[in-house]
Amino acid sequence: MKSVFNNCKVLFGKAFPHQHNKIRIAYNMKIYWGDFLFRFTSDYYSINDTTIVVRLLLSVILGGIIGFERGRSGRPAGLRTHILVCLGSTLAMMTNQYIFQEYAINDPTRMAAQVISGIGFLGAGTIIVTGKHQVKGLTTAAGLWATACMGLAISIGFYKAAILACLLIFFVTVVLHRLDNSMLSKSKVMDLYIEISDAVSISSVADAIKSHMIYIESIEVVKPAYGNEVTVAAIMTIRMKQKSVRLDVISNICEIEGVEFAEEI
């Protein structure tokens, strides 16, 4: 027992030659437990406790800004989805940077490349093709991809670009969405879904539509989505020869003999 104590004394004496044994043991335990604590520094670019906290919190905030607008608009991918995408891509790139920093692996962008390509599967899940061949969710899918790229920028310390990208993505999804709707309302081109009764033919309905100064660019016969008593439906792309109120155009088409239902898609 005395031999074991002497060996410990020699061991601690070599490690801490100028301090008492009890103080040396306490100091050593402090360092040991300190490894589990966050020690903040002024270095915001290498992987350390400061950048871990800053980058992950920043990814939650910026991803949440984009996701809040998408969720408020009733999109499939909302607040939580965008936060998780941004947070996950940030963590993936930080892990890659940590591996490169600690183990000197020569390819620090491998995981980032997988994030960019892999996010396409998640984006595809938000794209919906309705029974009337209407595609929805493309903007949300593009927003998810952009949010993932924003997370990668945060994780590598490209903070200014990430913050500016967040503001621009928000601008595109909010401000330009209103501008897009305004341009669409003034457009002369419309996509219509029309259900036609069995008593008339599609050609007769098309001729009646043309009589209202409307040019039909394309017609696609589809299965009826609403009416139980009709067997024929069509999706038409029409171009008005002069600017008209879109509701008035739909109202005029609904008054055509044989048209049971019409709506813009």
Side-chain angles (χ1 to χ4, degrees):
M1 187 70 179
K2 185 176 181 181
S3 174
V4 174
F5 177 78
N6 288 334
N7 290 337
C8 290
K9 184 176 181 181
V10 171
L11 177 62
F12 285 113
K14 291 180 179 179
F16 306 93
H18 304 293
Q19 299 182 15
H20 192 271
N21 285 342
K22 292 182 179 180
I23 298 177
R24 288 196 290 269
I25 294 173
Y27 183 73
N28 191 31
M29 292 297 291
K30 182 179 180 181
I31 294 177
Y32 176 77
W33 288 109
D35 290 340
F36 294 93
L37 300 177
F38 287 99
R39 288 176 288 184
F40 297 97
T41 65
S42 59
D43 182 8
Y44 292 98
Y45 296 98
S46 63
I47 294 296
N48 52 60
D49 293 345
T50 303
T51 55
I52 290 173
V53 174
V54 170
R55 293 177 185 181
L56 292 180
L57 289 179
L58 190 60
S59 67
V60 171
I61 294 172
L62 298 187
I65 292 174
I66 306 302
F68 175 76
E69 189 280 328
R70 292 284 86 190
R72 188 179 60 177
S73 300
R75 303 306 178 188
L79 178 66
R80 293 179 298 172
T81 304
H82 281 77
I83 289 177
L84 289 175
V85 166
C86 191
L87 186 62
S89 60
T90 300
L91 183 58
M93 189 62 184
M94 286 175 60
T95 303
N96 207 156
Q97 185 183 358
Y98 177 79
I99 294 172
F100 178 77
Q101 181 176 306
E102 295 294 325
Y103 302 101
I105 296 178
N106 295 327
D107 188 3
T109 61
R110 179 176 299 175
M111 295 182 70
Q114 298 303 317
V115 168
I116 293 176
S117 60
I119 196 65
F121 292 96
L122 184 60
T126 66
I127 300 174
I128 301 173
V129 180
T130 65
K132 294 170 289 185
H133 295 197
Q134 184 180 11
V135 179
K136 294 183 177 181
L138 286 175
T139 303
T140 301
L144 284 174
W145 185 83
T147 302
C149 294
M150 182 176 65
L152 294 176
I154 294 171
S155 64
I156 203 62
F158 205 10
Y159 302 117
K160 292 181 180 179
I163 295 173
L164 181 59
C166 177
L167 296 177
L168 291 176
I169 294 171
F170 188 82
F171 173 79
V172 169
T173 55
V174 177
V175 180
L176 293 189
H177 174 67
R178 297 174 182 174
L179 178 62
D180 196 17
N181 288 339
S182 176
M183 293 174 59
L184 185 62
S185 64
K186 298 177 182 179
S187 175
K188 294 182 179 180
V189 179
M190 293 178 62
D191 291 324
L192 297 176
Y193 170 79
I194 301 174
E195 291 186 351
I196 304 169
S197 66
D198 299 335
V200 297
S201 63
I202 296 179
S203 59
S204 63
V205 172
D207 292 337
I209 292 175
K210 292 177 182 179
S211 65
H212 288 82
M213 301 293 290
I214 296 174
Y215 173 72
I216 300 177
E217 294 187 345
S218 65
I219 299 177
E220 180 182 0
V221 179
V222 297
K223 183 179 179 180
Y226 297 126
N228 296 323
E229 298 180 356
V230 296
T231 58
V232 179
I235 295 177
M236 297 184 181
T237 300
I238 63 173
R239 180 183 295 273
M240 295 170 284
K241 295 182 180 180
Q242 58 186 7
K243 289 185 178 180
S244 304
V245 179
R246 304 172 85 86
L247 290 177
D248 292 341
V249 173
I250 297 175
S251 177
N252 291 333
I253 292 176
C254 288
E255 293 177 356
I256 296 175
E257 182 182 357
V259 175
E260 299 291 336
F261 177 80
E263 69 172 352
E264 182 179 7
I265 59 174

